[in-house]
Structure formats: C-alpha cells, structure tokens
Amino acid sequence: MIVRSFKDLEGTDRHVKSASGTWESKRIVLAKEKVGFSLHETILYAGTETSMWYANHIEAVVCTQGDAELTDRETGETYRITPGTMYLLNGHERHTLKVKEDFHCICVFNPPVTGREDHDENGVYPLLTEEV
C-alpha cells in the first residue's frame, strides 16, 4: 500500500514545474510504481494558455477548482471546464486550455509517465520508460 499527500510531494522530484511556466504538477503515482497508470495533481495558472497533444498517452482530467476553456483544435469545439467536470482525451486530440481562474485538476495517464516529462514544441509528452 502506498499513501502520499500532495504536501509530502512539494519540493521533491515528483513536484514538476513546466519550462513554459504555465503549470505545475505533483506526480502522485508514476510508472515506477508499476500499476499501469500515473496520477497527478496539476495546477494551470490563471491568464495562461497551454496547447497540448498527447500523441503517446490517453489522459483523463477532473477539474477540482478553477475555470478554464478547453478547445479541441481538431474540431474547433470549445467547452467550459469547472469543478466537477471531466474530460477524456481518448483520441489523442490536439487541445488548448485557456485558464481564466487557477485551474486545479486530477489527471490520469496511460501509459504512465515517469515524472520527467514536459511538453515539447508540439505540446507532446515524449514516451519515456523507466530503467529496469
């Protein structure tokens, strides 16, 4: 059994801040736990816009606090995401999150991330693996 709090992760290698400066993420469960997914608490900052494309991962996101506009860049559709709203990127959709109010969310990735990932110039997380 593993028990972790968000507070325990602050300032550790599991507390990742993006190079873009638009988000930070506490990586609660990672690939090295070998459970088939990773679990993160992520905060995207108010007034920022982040374009992403998880070409190598499926991601589910549940908003717990804040307000953002999600745009599916493939269809042009936009969605308001507020507390209690979930979105699932099950088709590797290119998307943009425009944050109106600090956006707190819980994210699940499959395959799991290692904790070292950050978005590249295309908004993609590389597919990294753990050393065995």
Side-chain angles (χ1 to χ4, degrees):
M1 179 184 302
I2 297 171
V3 177
R4 292 189 177 109
S5 75
F6 298 158
K7 187 173 176 120
D8 292 342
L9 302 178
E10 289 178 12
T12 71
D13 62 349
R14 288 176 179 258
H15 189 182
V16 177
K17 296 185 180 185
S18 71
S20 67
T22 63
W23 58 266
E24 65 181 84
S25 182
K26 293 181 184 110
R27 310 292 172 83
I28 305 157
V29 176
L30 292 170
K32 64 181 154 189
E33 273 83 53
K34 299 183 191 238
V35 294
F37 64 90
S38 59
L39 178 68
H40 317 175
E41 189 247 2
T42 300
I43 302 169
L44 293 101
Y45 308 125
T48 65
E49 191 170 306
T50 304
S51 292
M52 297 165 272
W53 174 36
Y54 295 116
N56 302 308
H57 299 85
I58 300 295
E59 182 192 29
V61 177
V62 176
C63 175
T64 58
Q65 181 181 330
D67 189 356
E69 181 181 88
L70 173 69
T71 300
D72 180 334
R73 294 196 326 263
E74 296 175 22
T75 67
E77 288 183 86
T78 61
Y79 306 89
R80 185 165 180 212
I81 309 296
T82 56
T85 306
M86 183 280 308
Y87 64 91
L88 176 65
L89 301 164
N90 59 328
H92 305 282
E93 295 86 356
R94 295 172 194 257
H95 60 288
T96 299
L97 206 59
K98 185 175 183 177
V99 183
K100 299 175 183 187
E101 177 184 307
D102 278 359
F103 186 81
H104 297 244
C105 56
I106 302 296
C107 311
V108 176
F109 281 85
N110 186 1
V113 303
T114 66
R116 303 183 312 270
E117 293 82 359
D118 196 350
H119 299 106
D120 68 14
E121 66 279 358
N122 297 308
V124 175
Y125 273 176
L127 187 57
L128 301 179
T129 57
E130 284 296 315
E131 297 294 321
V132 183

